[in-house]
Amino acid sequence: MDYAVRGKIAIEADRIADELRSKEGSSKHPFDHIIYTNIGNPHAVQQKAITWPRQVMALLQLPDALGIDHPRVSELFPEDAIKRAREMKKALGGSGIGAYTHSKGVREFRQDVANFIENRDHAEKGSVDVENIFLTAGASEAITMLMSALVKDSNCGVMLPIPQYPLYSATLDLLGGHKVGYNLDEKSNWGLNMKELERSLAEAKAKGINMVGLVLINPGNPTGQVLSPDEVKDIVTFCAENNLVLLSDEVYQENIYREGDKFFSSRRAADELGLIKNDAIQLCSFHSVSKGVMGECGQRGGYVEMVGIDSEVNDCLYKLAASKLCSNAPGQAMVSLMCRGPSPGDASYESHTMEQKAVFEGLKERARLVSNGLDSIPGISCQPATGAMYCFPSVQMPPGAIKASNERGYSPDTLYALDLLQTTGICVVPASGFGQEEGRFGFRTTFLSPESKYVVDSIREHYEAFCSKYSN
């Protein structure tokens, strides 16, 4: 099991960071801090928390006498935050967020998720069942839970996009299942090709693999592409026709930057195709507070909403969730606040909207700056980052780098990433950790850091020196 995002390069970055904090070690390196662009962790790179959700969370954490019932509470908190905190404390049974909740999550919070999905997808009111929603410690926990239920033995296979977020491959390795890749087309901005899906499925079946599911990541991680409604419908139809459970990772649904692009959920596609009404699709959709404009990774809040999953399976998943008692209550509360923010006319509505817009516009500008900047470097090619938080450029490796990496027993892009880190203090993830076509090399970087321009300029300068160092 290998999880590249926190793998060899990140471990080395942490070791160097420890050295930089000491007087003796700080003189060893030509930089004074590590720039962590290896992981989508916005608050760790100076993104500010959105105020209103944190105000409500503060009131949830405080004892009533110091918070919602304090005689001067309205001097410190806006009325809509106080009102929402009272409502949420009531939903928590009056015990606050220090007590265990229902194993699926607080029902009223799950209802906020249900309403959010119906509004987002223009679905019929009441069509999303709260009993098909689990609140989890981030989307990752929900994904692991569903894959654990799906992969019953070592003959089971799940289709994964290549490249893919390594949580999926690592979880399949842990469960002993088969990773069945379908390649995204880099030349068409990491687009989907249905013939490639059919090829991958047919080859796996010919090997006797029991194909049980397909992972879709939209917007893409690490590739940053946004699928059109027709592409999503093609995937949903493919899964329905081949009896594959669709695991739809939609945690970047707010992070869409190109004019004209819009997020189109797998659930909406299934609904418009009539597959939900006809009970012809098995779909699990994931979302999280960690991404979007909230970036609340440390709160560990997420959800899965299931469609077409048999009630007996749902009961088994409940038992699996119950074995952990419940997900953390603060994370559940943050999911509720993500799904239902201030309403027009509320005291915090305008300021909340302005804060969200400011974060979004910053991400949008850095997506353009980093993807265009990397693509302008001779020897590096980078598709436009139209969504998510990442760029995934390809890098031409000089012959000496390939030779040196073979001698050291790791991939050429791992050698490159280590050299970049040790020279500049920039921590990226080797592309080999996400999967890529044979002969391709590269890396994944976020565009979250306010130092993004410096990152691009440093990569440009380092790559020239790297190519000279390993020219033969």
Side-chain angles (χ1 to χ4, degrees):
M1 178 178 174
D2 187 28
Y3 185 60
V5 172
R6 290 191 183 269
K8 184 180 184 68
I9 310 302
I11 292 169
E12 175 66 5
D14 288 342
R15 187 193 66 77
I16 295 173
D18 286 341
E19 286 189 344
L20 291 171
R21 283 189 283 269
S22 69
K23 287 184 180 180
E24 299 79 12
S26 59
S27 60
K28 293 181 179 180
H29 305 281
F31 46 86
D32 59 9
H33 67 291
I34 300 294
I35 303 176
Y36 287 96
T37 72
N38 61 307
I39 191 166
N41 191 13
H43 292 192
V45 286
Q46 301 177 40
Q47 180 176 307
K48 292 182 179 179
I50 305 295
T51 302
W52 182 81
R54 286 294 189 92
Q55 289 174 323
V56 179
M57 292 295 292
L59 289 166
L60 290 177
Q61 291 280 8
L62 285 168
D64 290 356
L66 298 177
I68 58 173
D69 291 339
H70 192 278
R72 300 178 64 182
V73 64
S74 59
E75 296 178 23
L76 296 172
F77 297 92
E79 286 301 321
D80 53 352
I82 300 168
K83 180 181 177 181
R84 184 63 176 276
R86 289 185 186 279
E87 176 190 319
M88 294 177 79
K89 283 203 168 190
K90 183 179 179 181
L92 286 157
S95 53
I97 52 177
Y100 293 133
T101 72
H102 189 283
S103 293
K104 288 186 179 181
V106 176
R107 183 180 180 85
E108 288 84 351
F109 298 173
R110 286 184 283 135
Q111 187 61 58
D112 287 332
V113 174
N115 295 341
F116 164 79
I117 293 169
E118 289 171 3
N119 292 333
R120 181 197 66 193
D121 293 346
H122 308 285
E124 182 181 347
K125 187 171 177 57
S127 60
V128 179
D129 186 351
V130 296
E131 294 306 323
N132 292 330
I133 295 170
F134 286 75
L135 302 183
T136 55
S140 299
E141 183 180 64
I143 290 164
T144 302
M145 181 174 74
L146 265 296
M147 291 187 75
S148 296
L150 197 58
V151 179
K152 66 177 183 178
D153 57 42
S154 60
N155 194 45
C156 290
V158 177
M159 297 182 70
L160 306 176
I162 301 298
Q164 51 88 35
Y165 180 52
L167 169 67
Y168 295 98
S169 54
T171 303
L172 273 173
D173 285 344
L174 186 64
L175 297 171
H178 289 273
K179 302 185 291 279
V180 178
Y182 62 93
N183 293 310
L184 303 178
D185 185 359
E186 184 170 8
K187 293 180 181 178
S188 64
N189 196 23
W190 300 108
L192 280 170
N193 184 318
M194 295 310 296
K195 289 184 179 179
E196 169 64 10
L197 284 171
E198 291 163 1
R199 176 206 63 78
S200 176
L201 180 62
E203 288 184 4
K205 286 184 173 180
K207 295 175 183 176
I209 298 172
N210 175 27
M211 295 305 299
V212 295
L214 180 146
V215 171
L216 175 66
I217 309 175
N218 179 40
N221 177 9
T223 47
Q225 87 283 16
V226 179
L227 299 183
S228 70
D230 285 344
E231 287 176 311
V232 179
K233 287 181 178 180
D234 284 344
I235 284 278
V236 168
T237 300
F238 177 83
C239 289
E241 290 176 345
N242 291 285
N243 196 30
L244 298 171
V245 177
L246 175 55
L247 304 176
S248 190
D249 184 335
E250 300 173 345
V251 302
Y252 298 98
Q253 59 189 261
E254 287 185 84
N255 303 103
I256 296 177
Y257 311 117
R258 186 169 58 188
E259 295 299 324
D261 283 353
K262 290 184 179 180
F263 173 70
F264 196 86
S265 75
S266 295
R267 193 189 197 285
R268 181 174 180 181
D271 196 12
E272 292 188 3
L273 290 166
L275 297 173
I276 296 178
K277 182 179 180 181
N278 295 328
D279 194 24
I281 183 73
Q282 298 176 85
L283 167 65
C284 302
S285 303
F286 308 97
H287 195 15
S288 169
V289 304
S290 299
K291 311 305 178 185
V293 295
M294 292 184 85
E296 293 278 7
C297 300
Q299 303 284 358
R300 306 311 300 135
Y303 73 74
V304 57
E305 189 253 343
M306 301 180 295
V307 171
I309 302 299
D310 188 87
S311 60
E312 292 185 5
V313 176
N314 194 318
D315 290 343
C316 289
L317 290 170
Y318 172 74
K319 292 176 183 177
L320 194 58
S323 69
K324 299 179 181 180
L325 298 177
C326 68
S327 63
N328 70 93
Q332 294 183 38
M334 192 59 83
V335 170
S336 170
L337 296 169
M338 174 186 71
C339 291
R340 179 163 62 94
S343 300
D346 287 350
S348 303
Y349 178 76
E350 289 189 9
S351 61
H352 182 71
T353 303
M354 288 175 62
E355 286 184 52
Q356 288 181 311
K357 183 178 179 182
V359 172
F360 178 83
E361 291 298 330
L363 289 167
K364 181 179 178 180
E365 172 57 23
R366 291 193 297 276
R368 182 199 61 79
L369 185 154
V370 175
S371 59
N372 289 353
L374 292 175
D375 193 53
S376 72
I377 300 172
I380 296 180
S381 174
C382 186
Q383 296 297 315
T386 58
M389 296 178 171
Y390 313 101
C391 293
F392 195 68
S394 64
V395 178
Q396 294 178 18
M397 290 291 166
I402 296 174
K403 180 181 177 182
S405 65
N406 289 336
E407 290 172 353
R408 298 176 195 185
Y410 45 72
S411 69
D413 43 24
T414 298
L415 176 73
Y416 167 83
L418 273 172
D419 199 278
L420 177 67
L421 171 65
Q422 292 163 352
T423 304
T424 68
I426 297 168
C427 179
V428 300
V429 188
S432 52
F434 300 88
Q436 56 190 338
E437 291 188 350
E438 187 72 25
R440 183 193 189 275
F441 309 107
F443 61 90
R444 188 191 79 168
T445 179
T446 70
F447 43 79
L448 297 171
S449 173
E451 298 181 88
S452 288
K453 186 179 185 305
Y454 170 79
V455 167
V456 172
D457 291 343
S458 297
I459 289 173
R460 184 189 305 275
E461 183 178 335
H462 168 265
Y463 181 63
E464 184 176 342
F466 180 82
C467 288
S468 177
K469 178 179 179 180
Y470 289 102
S471 59
N472 50 51

